[in-house]
Amino acid sequence: MSYEKVSQAKSFIVGTKQTVKALKNGNVKEVLVASDADPRVIAKVVQTAEDMNVKLIHVDSMRKLGKACGIEVGAATVALIY
């Protein structure tokens, strides 16, 4: 279900740095975080999303998340933007 949200989204941002930046700008609706990502990599995204009261959705696979975004590599985080 969550992977479908990404593939159906009109606009999204891939990657931790870009996700944090978008969260701070206030234009993120939801953040998807891969459970198999390194906790040190996603920690800032998770904390920023919680601070900004943005819904966090955990998915099981970086590879599947990347594929849902249309990229050849795994994605640790994806932000669905307005």
Coordinates of all heavy atoms in Angstrom, one line a residue:
M1 N 0.8 -1.2 0.0 CA 0.0 0.0 0.0 C 0.9 1.3 0.0 O 0.6 2.2 -0.8 CB -0.9 0.0 1.2 CG -1.7 1.2 1.4 SD -2.9 1.4 0.1 CE -3.7 2.9 0.6
S2 N 1.8 1.3 0.9 CA 2.7 2.5 1.0 C 3.5 2.7 -0.3 O 3.7 3.9 -0.7 CB 3.6 2.4 2.2 OG 2.8 2.4 3.3
Y3 N 4.0 1.6 -0.9 CA 4.7 1.8 -2.1 C 3.9 2.3 -3.2 O 4.3 3.1 -4.1 CB 5.3 0.4 -2.6 CG 6.3 -0.2 -1.5 CD1 5.9 -1.4 -0.9 CD2 7.5 0.4 -1.3 CE1 6.8 -1.9 0.0 CE2 8.4 -0.1 -0.4 CZ 8.0 -1.3 0.3 OH 8.9 -1.8 1.2
E4 N 2.6 2.0 -3.2 CA 1.6 2.5 -4.2 C 1.4 4.0 -4.0 O 1.3 4.7 -5.0 CB 0.3 1.8 -4.1 CG 0.3 0.3 -4.5 CD -1.0 -0.4 -4.2 OE1 -2.0 0.3 -3.8 OE2 -1.0 -1.6 -4.3
K5 N 1.5 4.5 -2.8 CA 1.4 5.9 -2.6 C 2.5 6.7 -3.3 O 2.2 7.7 -3.9 CB 1.5 6.2 -1.1 CG 0.2 6.0 -0.3 CD 0.4 6.5 1.1 CE -0.9 6.4 1.9 NZ -0.7 7.0 3.3
V6 N 3.7 6.1 -3.3 CA 4.8 6.8 -3.9 C 4.6 6.8 -5.4 O 4.8 7.8 -6.1 CB 6.1 6.1 -3.6 CG1 7.3 6.7 -4.3 CG2 6.4 6.2 -2.1
S7 N 4.3 5.6 -6.0 CA 4.1 5.5 -7.4 C 2.9 6.3 -7.9 O 2.9 6.8 -9.1 CB 4.0 4.1 -7.9 OG 2.9 3.4 -7.3
Q8 N 1.9 6.6 -7.1 CA 0.8 7.4 -7.5 C 0.9 8.9 -7.2 O 0.1 9.7 -7.6 CB -0.5 6.9 -6.9 CG -0.8 5.5 -7.3 CD -2.0 4.9 -6.6 OE1 -2.5 5.4 -5.6 NE2 -2.5 3.7 -7.0
A9 N 1.9 9.2 -6.4 CA 2.1 10.6 -5.9 C 2.5 11.5 -7.1 O 3.2 11.1 -8.0 CB 3.2 10.7 -4.9
K10 N 1.9 12.7 -7.1 CA 2.2 13.7 -8.1 C 3.7 14.2 -8.0 O 4.3 14.5 -8.9 CB 1.2 14.8 -8.1 CG -0.2 14.4 -8.5 CD -1.1 15.6 -8.5 CE -2.5 15.1 -8.9 NZ -3.5 16.1 -8.8
S11 N 4.1 14.4 -6.7 CA 5.4 14.9 -6.5 C 6.0 14.3 -5.2 O 5.3 14.2 -4.2 CB 5.3 16.4 -6.3 OG 6.5 17.0 -6.2
F12 N 7.2 13.9 -5.3 CA 7.9 13.4 -4.1 C 9.4 13.7 -4.2 O 9.9 14.1 -5.2 CB 7.7 11.9 -4.0 CG 8.1 11.1 -5.2 CD1 9.4 10.7 -5.3 CD2 7.2 10.7 -6.1 CE1 9.8 9.9 -6.4 CE2 7.6 10.0 -7.2 CZ 8.9 9.6 -7.4
I13 N 10.0 13.6 -3.0 CA 11.5 13.9 -2.9 C 12.1 12.6 -2.3 O 11.7 12.0 -1.4 CB 11.7 15.1 -1.9 CG1 11.1 16.3 -2.5 CG2 13.2 15.2 -1.7 CD1 11.1 17.5 -1.6
V14 N 13.2 12.2 -3.0 CA 14.0 11.0 -2.6 C 15.3 11.4 -1.9 O 16.0 12.3 -2.3 CB 14.3 10.1 -3.8 CG1 15.0 8.9 -3.4 CG2 13.0 9.8 -4.5
G15 N 15.6 10.8 -0.8 CA 16.8 11.0 -0.1 C 16.7 11.7 1.2 O 15.8 12.5 1.4
T16 N 17.6 11.4 2.1 CA 17.5 12.0 3.5 C 17.8 13.5 3.6 O 17.0 14.2 4.2 CB 18.5 11.2 4.4 OG1 19.8 11.3 3.9 CG2 18.1 9.8 4.6
K17 N 18.8 14.0 2.9 CA 19.1 15.4 3.0 C 18.0 16.2 2.4 O 17.6 17.2 3.0 CB 20.4 15.7 2.3 CG 21.6 15.2 3.0 CD 22.9 15.5 2.2 CE 24.1 14.9 2.9 NZ 25.3 15.2 2.1
Q18 N 17.5 15.8 1.2 CA 16.4 16.6 0.6 C 15.1 16.5 1.4 O 14.4 17.4 1.4 CB 16.2 16.0 -0.8 CG 17.4 16.2 -1.8 CD 18.4 15.1 -1.7 OE1 18.4 14.3 -0.8 NE2 19.3 15.1 -2.6
T19 N 14.9 15.3 2.0 CA 13.7 15.2 2.8 C 13.7 16.1 4.0 O 12.7 16.8 4.3 CB 13.5 13.7 3.3 OG1 13.4 12.9 2.1 CG2 12.3 13.5 4.2
V20 N 14.9 16.2 4.7 CA 15.0 17.1 5.9 C 14.8 18.5 5.4 O 14.1 19.3 6.1 CB 16.4 16.9 6.6 CG1 16.6 18.0 7.6 CG2 16.5 15.5 7.2
K21 N 15.3 18.9 4.3 CA 15.2 20.3 3.8 C 13.7 20.6 3.5 O 13.2 21.6 3.9 CB 16.0 20.4 2.5 CG 16.1 21.8 2.0 CD 17.0 21.9 0.8 CE 17.0 23.3 0.3 NZ 17.9 23.5 -0.9
A22 N 13.0 19.6 2.9 CA 11.6 19.8 2.5 C 10.8 19.9 3.8 O 9.8 20.7 3.9 CB 11.1 18.7 1.6
L23 N 11.1 19.1 4.8 CA 10.4 19.1 6.1 C 10.5 20.5 6.7 O 9.5 21.0 7.2 CB 10.9 18.0 7.0 CG 10.4 16.6 6.8 CD1 11.3 15.6 7.5 CD2 9.0 16.5 7.2
K24 N 11.7 21.0 6.7 CA 11.9 22.3 7.3 C 11.2 23.4 6.6 O 10.9 24.4 7.2 CB 13.4 22.6 7.4 CG 14.1 21.7 8.5 CD 15.6 22.0 8.6 CE 16.2 21.1 9.7 NZ 17.7 21.4 9.8
N25 N 11.0 23.2 5.3 CA 10.3 24.2 4.5 C 8.8 24.1 4.7 O 8.0 25.0 4.3 CB 10.6 24.1 3.0 CG 12.0 24.5 2.7 OD1 12.6 25.3 3.4 ND2 12.6 24.0 1.6
G26 N 8.3 23.0 5.3 CA 6.9 22.9 5.6 C 6.0 22.4 4.5 O 4.8 22.6 4.6
N27 N 6.5 21.8 3.5 CA 5.7 21.4 2.4 C 5.6 19.8 2.2 O 5.4 19.4 1.1 CB 6.1 22.1 1.1 CG 7.5 21.8 0.7 OD1 8.2 21.2 1.4 ND2 7.9 22.3 -0.5
V28 N 5.8 19.1 3.3 CA 5.7 17.6 3.2 C 4.4 17.1 3.9 O 4.1 17.6 5.0 CB 7.0 17.0 4.0 CG1 6.9 15.5 4.0 CG2 8.2 17.5 3.3
K29 N 3.8 16.2 3.2 CA 2.5 15.7 3.7 C 2.8 14.4 4.5 O 2.3 14.2 5.6 CB 1.6 15.3 2.5 CG 0.2 14.8 2.9 CD -0.8 14.8 1.8 CE -0.4 13.8 0.7 NZ -1.4 13.6 -0.3
E30 N 3.7 13.5 4.0 CA 4.0 12.3 4.7 C 5.5 11.9 4.3 O 6.0 12.3 3.3 CB 3.2 11.1 4.2 CG 1.7 11.2 4.5 CD 0.9 10.1 4.0 OE1 1.3 9.4 3.0 OE2 -0.2 9.8 4.5
V31 N 6.1 11.2 5.2 CA 7.5 10.7 5.0 C 7.4 9.2 5.1 O 6.9 8.6 6.1 CB 8.5 11.3 6.0 CG1 9.8 10.7 5.8 CG2 8.5 12.8 5.9
L32 N 8.0 8.5 4.1 CA 8.2 7.1 4.1 C 9.6 6.8 4.5 O 10.5 7.3 3.9 CB 7.8 6.4 2.8 CG 6.3 6.4 2.5 CD1 5.9 7.7 1.9 CD2 6.0 5.3 1.5
V33 N 9.8 5.9 5.4 CA 11.2 5.5 5.9 C 11.3 4.0 5.8 O 10.5 3.2 6.2 CB 11.4 5.9 7.4 CG1 12.7 5.5 7.9 CG2 11.2 7.4 7.5
A34 N 12.4 3.6 5.1 CA 12.7 2.1 5.0 C 13.2 1.6 6.3 O 14.2 2.1 6.9 CB 13.7 1.9 3.9
S35 N 12.6 0.5 6.8 CA 13.0 -0.1 8.0 C 14.4 -0.8 8.0 O 15.1 -0.9 9.0 CB 12.0 -1.2 8.5 OG 10.8 -0.6 8.7
D36 N 14.8 -1.1 6.8 CA 16.2 -1.8 6.6 C 17.3 -0.8 6.4 O 18.4 -1.1 6.2 CB 16.2 -2.9 5.6 CG 15.9 -2.3 4.2 OD1 15.4 -1.2 4.0 OD2 16.1 -3.1 3.2
A37 N 17.0 0.5 6.5 CA 18.0 1.6 6.3 C 18.8 1.7 7.6 O 18.3 1.4 8.7 CB 17.3 2.9 6.0
D38 N 20.0 2.2 7.5 CA 20.9 2.4 8.7 C 20.2 3.4 9.6 O 19.9 4.5 9.2 CB 22.2 2.9 8.2 CG 23.2 3.0 9.3 OD1 22.8 3.2 10.5 OD2 24.4 3.0 9.0
P39 N 20.0 3.1 10.9 CA 19.3 4.0 11.8 C 20.0 5.4 11.9 O 19.4 6.4 12.1 CB 19.4 3.3 13.1 CG 19.5 1.8 12.8 CD 20.3 1.8 11.5
R40 N 21.3 5.4 11.8 CA 22.1 6.6 11.8 C 21.7 7.5 10.6 O 21.8 8.8 10.7 CB 23.6 6.4 11.9 CG 24.0 5.7 13.2 CD 25.4 5.3 13.1 NE 25.6 4.3 12.1 CZ 26.7 3.8 11.7 NH1 27.9 4.2 12.1 NH2 26.7 2.8 10.8
V41 N 21.4 6.9 9.5 CA 21.1 7.7 8.3 C 19.7 8.3 8.4 O 19.6 9.5 8.0 CB 21.2 6.8 7.0 CG1 20.7 7.5 5.8 CG2 22.7 6.3 6.9
I42 N 18.8 7.6 8.9 CA 17.4 8.1 8.9 C 17.0 8.8 10.2 O 16.0 9.4 10.3 CB 16.4 6.9 8.7 CG1 16.5 5.9 9.8 CG2 16.6 6.3 7.3 CD1 15.4 4.8 9.7
A43 N 17.9 8.8 11.2 CA 17.6 9.4 12.5 C 17.2 10.9 12.4 O 16.2 11.3 13.0 CB 18.8 9.3 13.4
K44 N 17.9 11.7 11.6 CA 17.6 13.1 11.5 C 16.2 13.3 10.8 O 15.4 14.2 11.1 CB 18.7 13.8 10.7 CG 18.4 15.3 10.7 CD 19.7 16.1 10.3 CE 19.4 17.6 10.5 NZ 20.6 18.4 10.4
V45 N 15.9 12.5 9.8 CA 14.6 12.6 9.1 C 13.5 12.3 10.1 O 12.5 13.0 10.1 CB 14.6 11.6 7.9 CG1 13.2 11.6 7.3 CG2 15.6 12.0 6.8
V46 N 13.7 11.2 10.8 CA 12.6 10.8 11.8 C 12.4 11.9 12.8 O 11.3 12.2 13.1 CB 13.0 9.4 12.4 CG1 12.0 9.1 13.6 CG2 13.0 8.3 11.4
Q47 N 13.5 12.4 13.4 CA 13.4 13.4 14.4 C 12.7 14.7 13.8 O 11.8 15.3 14.5 CB 14.7 13.8 15.0 CG 14.7 14.7 16.1 CD 13.9 14.2 17.3 OE1 14.2 13.1 17.8 NE2 12.9 15.0 17.8
T48 N 13.1 15.1 12.6 CA 12.6 16.3 12.0 C 11.1 16.1 11.7 O 10.3 17.0 12.0 CB 13.4 16.7 10.8 OG1 14.7 16.8 11.1 CG2 12.9 18.0 10.2
A49 N 10.7 15.0 11.2 CA 9.3 14.7 10.9 C 8.5 14.7 12.2 O 7.4 15.3 12.2 CB 9.2 13.3 10.2
E50 N 9.0 14.2 13.3 CA 8.3 14.2 14.5 C 8.2 15.6 15.1 O 7.1 16.0 15.5 CB 9.0 13.3 15.6 CG 8.8 11.8 15.3 CD 9.6 10.9 16.2 OE1 10.5 11.4 17.0 OE2 9.5 9.7 16.1
D51 N 9.2 16.4 14.9 CA 9.2 17.8 15.4 C 8.2 18.6 14.6 O 7.6 19.5 15.1 CB 10.6 18.4 15.3 CG 11.6 17.8 16.2 OD1 11.2 17.1 17.2 OD2 12.8 18.1 16.0
M52 N 8.0 18.3 13.3 CA 7.1 19.1 12.4 C 5.7 18.5 12.4 O 4.9 18.9 11.6 CB 7.7 19.1 11.0 CG 9.1 19.7 10.9 SD 9.2 21.4 11.4 CE 8.4 22.2 10.0
N53 N 5.5 17.4 13.2 CA 4.2 16.7 13.2 C 3.8 16.2 11.9 O 2.6 16.3 11.5 CB 3.1 17.6 13.8 CG 3.3 17.9 15.3 OD1 3.7 17.0 16.0 ND2 3.1 19.2 15.7
V54 N 4.7 15.6 11.1 CA 4.4 15.0 9.8 C 4.3 13.5 10.0 O 5.1 12.9 10.7 CB 5.5 15.4 8.8 CG1 5.4 14.6 7.5 CG2 5.6 16.9 8.6
K55 N 3.3 12.9 9.4 CA 3.1 11.5 9.5 C 4.3 10.7 8.9 O 4.7 10.9 7.8 CB 1.8 11.1 8.7 CG 1.4 9.7 8.8 CD 0.1 9.4 8.1 CE -0.2 7.9 8.1 NZ -1.5 7.7 7.4
L56 N 4.8 9.7 9.7 CA 5.8 8.8 9.3 C 5.2 7.4 9.0 O 4.4 6.9 9.8 CB 6.8 8.6 10.5 CG 8.0 9.6 10.6 CD1 8.7 9.3 11.9 CD2 8.9 9.5 9.4
I57 N 5.6 6.9 7.9 CA 5.2 5.6 7.5 C 6.4 4.7 7.3 O 7.3 5.1 6.5 CB 4.4 5.6 6.1 CG1 3.2 6.5 6.3 CG2 4.0 4.2 5.7 CD1 2.4 6.8 5.0
H58 N 6.5 3.6 8.0 CA 7.6 2.7 7.8 C 7.3 1.6 6.8 O 6.2 1.0 6.8 CB 7.9 2.0 9.2 CG 8.5 3.0 10.2 ND1 9.8 3.3 10.3 CD2 7.8 3.8 11.1 CE1 10.0 4.2 11.2 NE2 8.8 4.5 11.7
V59 N 8.2 1.4 5.9 CA 8.1 0.4 4.9 C 9.3 -0.6 5.1 O 10.3 -0.3 5.8 CB 8.1 0.9 3.4 CG1 6.9 1.8 3.2 CG2 9.4 1.7 3.2
D60 N 9.2 -1.8 4.5 CA 10.2 -2.8 4.9 C 11.5 -2.8 4.1 O 12.5 -3.3 4.5 CB 9.5 -4.2 4.8 CG 9.0 -4.5 3.4 OD1 8.8 -3.6 2.6 OD2 8.9 -5.7 3.1
S61 N 11.5 -2.2 2.9 CA 12.6 -2.4 2.0 C 13.1 -1.1 1.3 O 12.3 -0.4 0.6 CB 12.3 -3.5 1.0 OG 13.2 -3.5 -0.1
M62 N 14.3 -0.8 1.4 CA 14.9 0.3 0.7 C 14.8 0.1 -0.8 O 14.5 1.0 -1.6 CB 16.4 0.5 1.0 CG 16.6 1.1 2.4 SD 18.4 1.3 2.8 CE 19.0 2.3 1.5
R63 N 15.1 -1.2 -1.2 CA 15.1 -1.5 -2.7 C 13.7 -1.3 -3.3 O 13.6 -0.7 -4.3 CB 15.5 -3.0 -2.8 CG 15.3 -3.5 -4.3 CD 16.0 -4.8 -4.5 NE 17.3 -4.4 -5.0 CZ 18.4 -5.2 -5.0 NH1 18.3 -6.4 -4.5 NH2 19.6 -4.8 -5.4
K64 N 12.7 -1.8 -2.6 CA 11.3 -1.6 -3.1 C 10.9 -0.2 -3.1 O 10.2 0.3 -4.0 CB 10.3 -2.4 -2.2 CG 10.4 -3.9 -2.4 CD 9.4 -4.6 -1.4 CE 9.5 -6.1 -1.5 NZ 8.6 -6.7 -0.5
L65 N 11.3 0.6 -2.1 CA 11.0 2.0 -2.0 C 11.7 2.8 -3.2 O 11.0 3.6 -3.8 CB 11.5 2.6 -0.7 CG 11.0 4.0 -0.4 CD1 9.5 4.2 -0.5 CD2 11.5 4.4 1.0
G66 N 12.9 2.4 -3.5 CA 13.6 3.0 -4.6 C 12.9 2.7 -5.9 O 12.7 3.5 -6.8
K67 N 12.5 1.4 -6.0 CA 11.8 1.0 -7.3 C 10.5 1.7 -7.4 O 10.2 2.1 -8.6 CB 11.6 -0.5 -7.2 CG 11.1 -1.1 -8.5 CD 11.0 -2.6 -8.4 CE 10.5 -3.2 -9.7 NZ 10.5 -4.7 -9.7
A68 N 9.8 1.9 -6.3 CA 8.5 2.7 -6.4 C 8.7 4.1 -6.9 O 7.9 4.7 -7.5 CB 7.8 2.7 -5.1
C69 N 9.9 4.6 -6.6 CA 10.3 6.0 -7.0 C 10.8 6.0 -8.5 O 11.0 7.1 -9.0 CB 11.4 6.6 -6.1 SG 10.8 6.8 -4.5
G70 N 11.0 4.9 -9.0 CA 11.5 4.8 -10.4 C 13.0 4.9 -10.5 O 13.5 5.4 -11.6
I71 N 13.8 4.6 -9.4 CA 15.2 4.7 -9.5 C 15.8 3.3 -9.3 O 15.1 2.4 -8.8 CB 15.8 5.7 -8.4 CG1 15.4 5.2 -7.0 CG2 15.3 7.1 -8.7 CD1 16.0 6.0 -5.9
E72 N 17.0 3.1 -9.8 CA 17.7 1.8 -9.8 C 18.3 1.4 -8.5 O 18.7 0.3 -8.3 CB 18.8 1.8 -10.9 CG 18.3 2.1 -12.3 CD 17.5 0.9 -12.8 OE1 17.9 -0.3 -12.5 OE2 16.5 1.1 -13.6
V73 N 18.4 2.3 -7.5 CA 19.0 2.0 -6.2 C 18.0 2.2 -5.1 O 16.9 2.7 -5.3 CB 20.2 3.0 -6.0 CG1 21.3 2.8 -7.0 CG2 19.7 4.4 -6.0
G74 N 18.4 1.7 -4.0 CA 17.4 1.8 -2.8 C 17.3 3.2 -2.3 O 18.1 4.1 -2.5
A75 N 16.2 3.5 -1.7 CA 15.9 4.8 -1.1 C 15.6 4.6 0.4 O 14.7 3.8 0.8 CB 14.7 5.4 -1.8
A76 N 16.3 5.3 1.3 CA 16.1 5.2 2.7 C 14.9 6.0 3.1 O 14.1 5.6 4.0 CB 17.3 5.8 3.5
T77 N 14.7 7.2 2.5 CA 13.5 8.0 2.8 C 12.9 8.6 1.5 O 13.6 8.9 0.6 CB 13.9 9.1 3.8 OG1 14.8 10.0 3.2 CG2 14.4 8.6 5.1
V78 N 11.6 8.8 1.6 CA 10.9 9.5 0.5 C 9.9 10.4 1.2 O 9.2 10.0 2.1 CB 10.2 8.6 -0.4 CG1 9.3 9.3 -1.4 CG2 11.2 7.7 -1.1
A79 N 9.8 11.7 0.7 CA 8.9 12.7 1.2 C 7.8 12.9 0.2 O 8.1 13.2 -1.0 CB 9.6 14.0 1.6
L80 N 6.6 12.7 0.5 CA 5.4 13.1 -0.4 C 5.1 14.5 -0.1 O 4.8 14.9 1.0 CB 4.2 12.2 -0.1 CG 4.5 10.6 -0.2 CD1 3.2 9.9 0.1 CD2 5.0 10.3 -1.6
I81 N 5.2 15.3 -1.1 CA 5.0 16.8 -0.9 C 3.6 17.2 -1.5 O 3.0 16.5 -2.2 CB 6.1 17.6 -1.5 CG1 6.3 17.4 -3.0 CG2 7.4 17.3 -0.8 CD1 7.3 18.3 -3.6
Y82 N 3.2 18.4 -1.0 CA 1.9 18.9 -1.4 C 1.8 19.2 -2.9 O 2.8 19.6 -3.5 CB 1.5 20.2 -0.6 CG 1.2 19.9 0.8 CD1 2.2 20.2 1.8 CD2 0.1 19.3 1.2 CE1 1.9 20.0 3.1 CE2 -0.2 19.0 2.6 CZ 0.7 19.4 3.5 OH 0.5 19.1 4.8

